[in-house]
Amino acid sequence: MKSEFYCRALCSASALALLSTPALAQSDEASTEQDPSATQESDENRVTIIGTLESREMRSLDTPALGVAIDADQIAAINTINAEDVIRYAPNLIVRKRYIGDANATLSFRNMHTTQTPRALVTVDGFLISDFLGASFGTAPKWAVLSPTDIARAEIIYGPTSARYAGNSLGGTLRLETAPIDSNAISLGAQRFYQNYKYYDTDENLYGFSVNGQADIAIGSRGGVSVAYRHFENEGQPQQWRTVSPGTPFADQAIVDSELGFPLRIAAQDSVVDSVEDQFRLRGNYDLGGGWELRGLAALLIDDETTDDPNSFLRDADGEPTFVGISGVTRGQAQSTELLAGLGLAGNVAGWDVDLSVSRFELLDERARQSNGVDVTTGIIPDSGIVTDEDAHWTSVETSAERAFGAHRIALGASYAGYFGASETGAVADWRTGEPTAIRNASGGETQLAGVFLEDTITLAPMLEATLGLRYENWRASGGFLQYGPTRVDYASRNEDAWSPKLALTLQPDDATEIVASAAWATRFPTIGELYQAGLISYGPNVGEIDLDGFDPNLAPERGFDLQLTASRRFDNVKVTLSGFRQAVDDTLFSQTILVPGADDPSVPVSQSLITNIGEVETWGVDAIVAVEDMFVEGLSLDANVSWIDAIITENPLNPALEGNRFPRVPRWRANASLRYAVSPMFDLAANLRYQSTPERNLENNASSRCDTYYCVSPFTFVDLKSTVHFDGFDLDLGIDNVFDEKAFVFHPYPGRTFVIGLRWNGGF
């Protein structure tokens, strides 16, 4: 694997070198002298941002610890189709994006499993977009409140190092920022994307497109309003393959995959994923005078995802496709309408810099329809099925005040986040149009998290600062219930609190060097989905009934202790950062299989899979980050990073046999690189690399978890290319993601080689 990684990295660099030959670079504009620290106009309507190392420094880190910024220059080098793409090459994190437009694109930092979503705090202009309703693939941040064109900058903080952020920052914090509106402008854009996906007998030509229109309207010289609409459609590759039972009439036609250590008899693919999204966006900022500024954001999202065309690889005696003997095949459709609105106010009161933000997310409507599984005897997918209705909303309030007093910089503030979620499922005779007449199963509840913090940064000496912080949080869970048919169980309210101290020392021996040592405690409380899960029994005599023992409403919160030592040094046009960290999380919340007393005979233990508290997971890691401007030649820039992570289960009283195992979905190695070349004011090139070593798939770390095929969490080496041509107010993007058509999996398959073409026009009025 290492040789393949280095080979592909070399191929990527070679491709960029070939593209940037002098023959392509020669033009009248190419000889124009550029000032890399300034903006440069290529024509009357377009401004090109020239990136610098300074533009990638954290502007508002709010905590002395490892943080990185992604600026406009870096974003422009990415084939951005969805908002989450802007952080694709950031150090030691991953977005589990299975296909273009995936609503379940979860974010994980460093040592997080991709379902531990409540450990990643994500905001847009200070408004919370993290879905803390559960901890699963279905609780990704609400990326779709933005188009990629809205994002001017992203700032990333690793670990819970600041008292300013809730315990949900245990893994890290991502802050997306939009550009202020200060002039009249119109932007129109369109993208087209295509991949041919082949694996087993799957061979699909898949297409997608998006169109985006935006009007920025200035309000005098004090701000403005932006109104935008985006329509998006895409065909995603099938997300699962289905197996056939041996001995059934056509099983000998199956494709046998033995990579797992036992045969998978692949006989069918799930449907191509047809995604459609309409996105209405409204942003604004306004100077109220007297140093006060108002900001706002609103987004209405209408989504429709259809998976109603599964395909069998088997043929019956007449040569027709058949699902006989193939289990698990279904058809489905999911529709949702979501609304996010936020309002913020910033200013100065009696020398204090004050910021207040209030936001509200409403799931106005969400309904998922799914057929029952195929009849393995007849091969017919029935019309009967289930309908699931979701109801959810959350409210977030954040306020802070900061002021300097001599050697002290004081910050204090308060926050509140209230989440409500409920799910209800009923059977229908026709999965496409039927209305359930009775509840089959339901669950729900609500949580509230209120916090206050105090932080003081003290100048101890000209080169030395100490930051002391303390955060108090009170958590409440209430209204929890489970229902199966007429049977309903309600659970008592819970109330807990936690203190989380923070400490950091910052040494700056000169203007080019910084060394930071930090220690931080954080508490992450359980979500509604972890406490109250309407899971169904999947095997045995009660299959299909709600599993009243499949969860623990008394789960303890996760308590983490995070240590970091970070050193950075600027060498003229090069910046090098090295960060070591150790994080120990007691009572880690994660699903595992344990033995519990049997329902019929308590003296006979049975296996049960449920979310539990794992005693302790300890992680050691190192991040190395390099940024270079004007490398060898003017206009050639590099951002590269490599990370080593060792996440181990050190205590697990419920199943001591797992102690010493690696935590799943956390690879030992991650690496990213982005090489960019501004050939001329009219032409930009970029070559990018993403690498991950093989992680474990499950807590057991058994042999079947380490493989490079469907069902596994595999290694990958993705090489992505992009070129942009600027002319007469237009930008033409041509790009390829996964140039070498690498087949990689996160149980589900990642996309294959994908071609992207985009055209944008920007003008004033």
Side-chain angles (χ1 to χ4, degrees):
M1 174 54 68
K2 286 185 178 180
S3 61
E4 182 183 14
F5 167 55
Y6 292 126
C7 175
R8 295 196 173 195
L10 180 61
C11 290
S12 174
S14 300
L16 183 67
L18 289 171
L19 286 172
S20 58
T21 56
L24 286 178
Q26 288 174 353
S27 68
D28 293 339
E29 292 82 1
S31 61
T32 303
E33 190 176 60
Q34 298 182 22
D35 178 3
S37 64
T39 59
Q40 190 170 31
E41 291 188 0
S42 62
D43 57 60
E44 185 177 68
N45 297 320
R46 187 179 62 80
V47 176
T48 300
I49 304 298
I50 306 300
T52 65
L53 290 180
E54 285 77 12
S55 69
R56 279 167 227 149
E57 297 292 337
M58 301 291 288
R59 293 176 183 167
S60 53
L61 178 59
D62 297 337
T63 181
L66 178 62
V68 299
I70 311 296
D71 69 5
D73 185 46
Q74 293 166 295
I75 294 173
I78 303 170
N79 294 313
T80 52
I81 300 174
N82 304 116
E84 63 270 21
D85 294 329
V86 303
I87 58 171
R88 182 183 291 173
Y89 310 110
N92 212 352
L93 59 76
I94 189 170
V95 176
R96 172 193 164 272
K97 181 179 178 180
R98 301 168 297 166
Y99 52 89
I100 296 172
D102 186 4
N104 295 341
T106 59
L107 168 65
S108 62
F109 291 89
R110 283 179 165 170
N111 59 343
M112 291 168 52
H113 188 281
T114 49
T115 61
Q116 291 178 304
T117 52
R119 290 191 188 181
L121 186 66
V122 186
T123 64
V124 175
D125 292 340
F127 307 124
L128 185 66
I129 65 168
S130 293
D131 185 347
F132 294 148
L133 291 166
S136 72
F137 301 120
T139 52
K142 296 299 180 180
W143 304 111
V145 300
L146 295 175
S147 164
T149 57
D150 293 330
I151 302 173
R153 182 179 174 83
E155 294 195 346
I156 303 165
I157 302 170
Y158 293 85
T161 52
S162 175
R164 300 166 185 257
Y165 301 110
N168 298 102
S169 65
L170 183 59
T173 300
L174 169 64
R175 298 189 311 214
L176 300 173
E177 299 177 3
T178 63
I181 302 151
D182 53 17
S183 61
N184 294 329
I186 293 178
S187 175
L188 301 174
Q191 283 182 311
R192 183 71 164 164
F193 17 96
Y194 160 79
Q195 70 160 316
N196 171 251
Y197 192 87
K198 293 183 178 180
Y199 201 73
Y200 299 130
D201 269 1
T202 298
D203 187 353
E204 300 278 0
N205 290 312
L206 304 169
Y207 298 88
F209 74 93
S210 72
V211 291
N212 182 67
Q214 179 173 322
D216 295 347
I217 305 167
I219 305 175
S221 60
R222 306 183 74 169
V225 175
S226 176
V227 181
Y229 167 73
R230 186 181 193 232
H231 179 78
F232 165 89
E233 296 187 20
N234 184 61
E235 297 172 323
Q237 72 278 6
Q239 289 302 291
Q240 287 188 237
W241 288 273
R242 303 294 173 173
T243 59
V244 63
S245 302
T248 53
F250 312 108
D252 58 345
Q253 300 177 32
I255 302 162
V256 179
D257 183 345
S258 298
E259 183 73 20
L260 285 161
F262 57 86
L264 285 177
R265 295 177 174 84
I266 305 297
Q269 68 178 46
D270 278 5
S271 174
V272 164
V273 184
D274 290 310
S275 302
V276 179
E277 179 183 277
D278 289 291
Q279 180 191 73
F280 302 85
R281 312 186 309 277
L282 177 67
R283 290 192 296 114
N285 54 272
Y286 187 71
D287 185 352
L288 298 171
W292 288 89
E293 183 165 343
L294 187 69
R295 67 185 185 276
L297 178 149
L300 178 67
L301 315 171
I302 303 172
D303 290 288
D304 189 330
E305 188 168 281
T306 304
T307 51
D308 63 355
D309 189 23
N311 180 29
S312 175
F313 304 149
L314 308 186
R315 297 295 181 266
D316 63 17
D318 298 323
E320 297 297 321
T322 178
F323 291 106
V324 169
I326 305 173
S327 59
V329 178
T330 62
R331 295 188 171 103
Q333 182 184 39
Q335 296 174 316
S336 67
T337 304
E338 304 172 353
L339 175 67
L340 179 79
L343 196 63
L345 181 66
N348 190 277
V349 178
W352 289 85
D353 291 325
V354 176
D355 189 275
L356 170 67
S357 64
V358 180
S359 61
R360 172 78 171 186
F361 172 85
E362 285 275 357
L363 185 59
L364 301 177
D365 178 65
E366 180 170 310
R367 168 165 280 192
R369 294 178 173 274
Q370 181 179 299
S371 73
N372 289 329
V374 63
D375 185 319
V376 295
T377 302
T378 65
I380 297 173
I381 302 174
D383 290 330
S384 60
I386 57 173
V387 172
T388 300
D389 292 305
E390 302 281 351
D391 184 15
H393 58 74
W394 67 75
T395 302
S396 173
V397 181
E398 296 275 349
T399 182
S400 64
E402 303 180 47
R403 185 176 180 179
F405 294 91
H408 297 263
R409 294 198 306 275
I410 302 292
L412 52 87
S415 64
Y416 168 84
Y419 280 76
F420 166 83
S423 176
E424 184 177 290
T425 298
V428 291
D430 186 341
W431 72 268
R432 299 174 185 83
T433 60
E435 292 290 333
T437 57
I439 296 175
R440 189 184 76 170
N441 59 274
S443 65
E446 59 183 304
T447 60
Q448 299 176 39
L449 183 66
V452 294
F453 77 88
L454 176 64
E455 196 167 73
D456 185 9
T457 300
I458 310 166
T459 302
L460 302 177
M463 297 185 300
L464 184 65
E465 281 187 345
T467 302
L468 307 175
L470 182 64
R471 184 176 185 88
Y472 167 78
E473 290 179 314
N474 177 263
W475 171 80
R476 178 179 173 83
S478 60
F481 76 94
L482 286 181
Q483 182 174 348
Y484 177 68
T487 303
R488 176 175 168 127
V489 181
D490 291 277
Y491 297 92
S493 299
R494 291 179 55 190
N495 191 71
E496 295 190 32
D497 55 16
W499 293 90
S500 300
K502 322 281 182 175
L503 169 66
L505 292 173
T506 303
L507 176 65
Q508 291 182 304
D510 54 56
D511 291 340
T513 307
E514 183 177 81
I515 302 171
V516 181
S518 68
W521 288 259
T523 301
R524 200 280 283 181
F525 292 97
T527 62
I528 297 164
E530 290 167 307
L531 294 170
Y532 318 114
Q533 308 164 67
L536 302 182
I537 297 172
S538 58
Y539 56 88
N542 300 317
V543 63
E545 295 183 7
I546 195 166
D547 189 355
L548 295 176
D549 297 316
F551 72 103
D552 180 2
N554 298 308
L555 288 170
E558 298 182 316
R559 302 184 187 274
F561 177 51
D562 187 271
L563 293 171
Q564 296 190 46
L565 179 62
T566 301
S568 62
R569 173 75 178 177
R570 176 77 176 264
F571 302 91
D572 191 22
N573 63 331
V574 180
K575 183 177 180 180
V576 179
T577 301
L578 187 65
S579 181
F581 66 93
R582 183 254 186 189
Q583 186 177 82
V585 182
D586 293 338
D587 292 322
T588 294
L589 290 164
F590 197 74
S591 178
Q592 65 175 319
T593 300
I594 61 174
L595 294 176
V596 299
D600 297 328
D601 185 353
S603 65
V604 179
V606 296
S607 292
Q608 177 70 59
S609 180
L610 69 160
I611 292 180
T612 67
N613 288 114
I614 294 175
E616 183 188 65
V617 176
E618 183 181 45
T619 305
W620 293 83
V622 178
D623 298 314
I625 306 168
V626 177
V628 188
E629 292 293 335
D630 295 330
M631 184 176 66
F632 307 129
V633 296
E634 185 177 347
L636 183 62
S637 303
L638 171 69
D639 285 285
N641 54 80
V642 61
S643 301
W644 173 81
I645 319 108
D646 188 36
I648 302 296
I649 301 169
T650 52
E651 295 179 18
N652 190 23
L654 293 176
N655 188 355
L658 299 181
E659 293 177 2
N661 285 4
R662 293 184 59 80
F663 199 69
R665 297 210 182 187
V666 180
R668 192 175 293 274
W669 292 97
R670 286 192 180 110
N672 302 278
S674 178
L675 187 65
R676 305 176 299 280
Y677 186 27
V679 179
S680 76
M682 293 184 62
F683 191 34
D684 301 325
L685 292 169
N688 306 299
L689 176 74
R690 293 172 283 163
Y691 169 76
Q692 173 178 288
S693 65
T694 308
E696 297 291 346
R697 184 177 64 87
N698 53 24
L699 290 171
E700 290 74 22
N701 291 187
N702 55 34
S704 66
S705 74
R706 297 180 63 84
C707 62
D708 193 9
T709 189
Y710 163 63
Y711 195 82
C712 296
V713 183
S714 68
F716 59 72
T717 306
F718 295 142
V719 175
D720 310 323
L721 301 178
K722 183 179 181 181
S723 64
T724 302
V725 181
H726 312 288
F727 59 96
D728 297 330
F730 288 89
D731 292 316
L732 174 64
D733 297 324
L734 299 171
I736 307 175
D737 281 342
N738 192 4
V739 171
F740 297 101
D741 201 25
E742 170 111 351
K743 291 300 185 286
F745 304 88
V746 56
F747 180 91
H748 307 284
Y750 284 115
R753 182 188 298 115
T754 302
F755 297 87
V756 183
I757 181 171
L759 182 64
R760 301 183 306 280
W761 175 79
N762 298 286
F765 64 92

